[in-house]
Amino acid sequence: MSPVPRAPAPAAPAPAARAPAAASPTPPATPAGLKAGGHLGVVSCSASNCHGDVNRPRGSSVAGNEYLIWSKADKHHNSYAVLTSAPALRIAKALGLPDAVSQKRCLDCHTDNVAADARGPQFHIEDGVGCEACHGGASSWLGTHISGQPRKVNLANGMYPTDQPIARAEKCLDCHVGNGERFVDHRFYSAGHPRLGFELDTFSAIQPAHFTVDERYIQRKGNITDVQVWAVGQAAALQRRMDAFIDPKHAPRGMWPEFALLDCQTCHHQFGTIAGGSPGKFKLDDANALMVRVAAARIAPESAQALDQHIAAMQRATIGNWAGVQREAAAVRDIADKLKQTFADHNFTSEDMRAIGGGLIALSGGGIGSSRNDQVAMGLRAVAASLRTSGDLAPPQSEALDRAVKGVDATLTAVSGAHANASALIAALKNLQGTTRR
């Protein structure tokens, strides 16, 4: 991602945080009986001379405070504790489960739930989504990582390349959208589980990010812009959603489809307002498809046209023709798969960013709470971040852009009520677009 300013780790202590055991700066021996790629636990990263210091270690290419950010500010740190909360217990009881903390389908996303023979002696499931859940089991690469070997050596030994947009998207989407083994269906939603919404660039930034894109970062990993991460993330998310349509586990049971695949506002809307649909008809959740279409219209117009055709055919097939839905989903999946790589390889220019911003503005105005508006707002944040760091904006214009982004954020909060309308949001988005013009 481009160098969006990242907030330092806050000083407030983490709730119920266990004091980390001291980690050695020398490569640890792999515990006996631990299989290759085993997970050693977050303590293997938490020493003050590794990733647990408030100051950058001498000669280090990273800030050194990554563990502190994770343990004090990152929601992933508390993701196991969430399963012990009263709301989680209510959800479990509604689903006929005794609790959430012992359920594999809950642990698989709320923790680093690796097999028993892949857990080292200092691994604790209570640590939630820890370092190795994203960066890979450290037993195979920690030695070369600590000894200062080139990054390509660590990657060859099993470290996961989270800096690369496609790889990051695939890792994050396993939980934030789902895969063949993990999927939050409508039964979970009706029991009270929050709706899953995701956008790769925004979520990377507000995690909060425990990396800083500076010259040393770019030298090691390249300069990947926010809008590039956004576009890749949208294509990857669309591909995953099409996988869900194709998966026979989600086929309609009798006359009822899997409602988690639909636009929530098909059923949940104010009287007289159905965004993009009509009474008595199901509407697929096409927010990711619309975002991909906006990016493709600029970068790969032929793919954008094909995407339009297949999404429209897919929407028409939702009533009584699930085989048609799956056929069109397979076509959309193939388009998204190709665009994912196209976006990853593309050098997004300032003109590209402005064109994409205009396309996003044109999509705004759906019903309040619609996933489309959420995605439009997050996409424009990515465009704004990339423009801000491109060097293409004069300081006054960059300051105006910052104010416009804050205006969008404030409006989104203001229109969250059930009886509000989207006019204020649209005005704020157009103001944001105005600040990006030359």
Side-chain angles (χ1 to χ4, degrees):
M1 290 171 55
S2 57
V4 181
R6 308 297 186 192
R18 179 173 51 254
S24 171
T26 58
T30 301
L34 185 65
K35 71 177 184 179
H39 291 218
L40 303 177
V42 297
V43 296
S44 62
C45 308
S46 62
S48 60
N49 54 356
C50 294
H51 295 287
D53 201 350
V54 294
N55 300 309
R56 184 187 292 267
R58 181 178 298 176
S60 173
S61 59
V62 299
N65 64 349
E66 295 79 12
Y67 168 80
L68 297 179
I69 293 175
W70 172 83
S71 63
K72 295 181 178 181
D74 192 334
K75 290 183 178 179
H76 290 106
H77 172 250
N78 293 319
S79 55
Y80 175 88
V82 167
L83 298 180
T84 67
S85 67
L89 185 58
R90 287 196 298 270
I91 292 172
K93 287 186 175 180
L95 292 169
L97 304 173
D99 55 45
V101 294
S102 64
Q103 305 303 310
K104 183 179 185 300
R105 65 184 304 178
C106 301
L107 294 171
D108 280 350
C109 283
H110 281 262
T111 70
D112 185 16
N113 193 27
V114 295
D117 61 355
R119 302 180 184 186
Q122 292 182 303
F123 175 92
H124 300 283
I125 196 76
E126 297 85 0
D127 285 330
V129 178
C131 314
E132 292 163 291
C134 299
H135 296 287
S139 64
S140 59
W141 53 259
L142 187 58
T144 55
H145 178 59
I146 290 176
S147 62
Q149 293 293 314
R151 178 170 174 75
K152 63 181 180 181
V153 175
N154 297 324
L155 296 178
N157 287 339
M159 177 183 278
Y160 194 82
T162 53
D163 55 300
Q164 297 303 307
I166 292 178
R168 188 194 307 177
E170 299 296 350
K171 176 67 70 174
C172 297
L173 289 169
D174 279 344
C175 288
H176 286 276
V177 169
N179 56 29
E181 298 178 354
R182 309 172 187 174
F183 186 76
V184 177
D185 57 22
H186 187 261
R187 186 166 174 262
F188 255 62
Y189 287 146
S190 61
H193 193 287
R195 178 172 68 88
L196 292 183
F198 182 72
E199 192 279 292
L200 184 63
D201 183 69
T202 298
F203 278 46
S204 294
I206 66 174
Q207 189 176 13
H210 48 262
F211 59 90
T212 302
V213 180
D214 53 18
E215 289 186 9
R216 282 177 284 193
Y217 182 99
I218 294 172
Q219 287 173 358
R220 290 185 299 128
K221 302 181 178 182
N223 187 20
I224 301 169
T225 63
D226 289 80
V227 73
Q228 184 181 29
V229 173
W230 168 79
V232 169
Q234 291 293 346
L238 178 59
Q239 185 177 6
R240 289 294 182 92
R241 292 192 184 280
M242 295 305 103
D243 285 338
F245 281 105
I246 297 168
D247 191 334
K249 293 195 299 289
H250 303 147
R253 293 173 173 83
M255 64 180 294
W256 303 114
E258 172 48 67
F259 290 112
L261 301 174
L262 304 180
D263 185 330
C264 296
Q265 289 190 300
T266 295
C267 300
H268 301 282
H269 58 84
Q270 286 181 260
F271 180 76
T273 60
I274 305 178
S278 59
K281 290 187 178 181
F282 295 128
K283 182 177 182 295
L284 307 179
D285 183 356
D286 61 358
N288 290 123
L290 293 171
M291 300 302 107
V292 173
R293 202 268 179 216
V294 167
R298 175 70 184 184
I299 308 304
E302 291 183 0
S303 295
Q305 293 174 8
L307 188 61
D308 277 343
Q309 295 169 1
H310 288 294
I311 287 292
M314 194 174 170
Q315 293 282 16
R316 290 193 297 269
T318 53
I319 300 297
N321 184 14
W322 196 254
V325 170
Q326 292 182 308
R327 182 177 62 251
E328 298 301 331
V332 172
R333 186 196 185 283
D334 289 343
I335 295 170
D337 186 38
K338 293 175 183 176
L339 285 173
K340 185 172 62 176
Q341 190 63 57
T342 298
F343 295 153
D345 294 338
H346 185 73
N347 179 25
F348 286 82
T349 65
S350 296
E351 289 73 20
D352 292 336
M353 298 172 197
R354 288 182 168 86
I356 289 171
L360 291 171
I361 293 291
L363 285 176
S364 62
I368 297 305
S370 71
S371 56
R372 177 189 298 189
N373 276 348
D374 292 344
Q375 291 295 341
V376 165
M378 290 187 286
L380 284 168
R381 288 176 64 93
V383 170
S386 291
L387 280 172
R388 188 186 301 114
T389 58
S390 68
D392 192 55
L393 299 179
Q397 196 175 13
S398 182
E399 293 171 3
L401 183 63
D402 287 338
R403 291 194 297 271
V405 169
K406 291 177 181 177
V408 171
D409 290 344
T411 305
L412 282 171
T413 301
V415 301
S416 61
H419 301 291
N421 62 64
S423 59
L425 171 60
I426 296 171
L429 292 174
K430 288 184 176 179
N431 180 50
L432 173 59
Q433 184 186 29
T435 66
T436 67
R437 295 193 178 112
R438 291 186 185 279

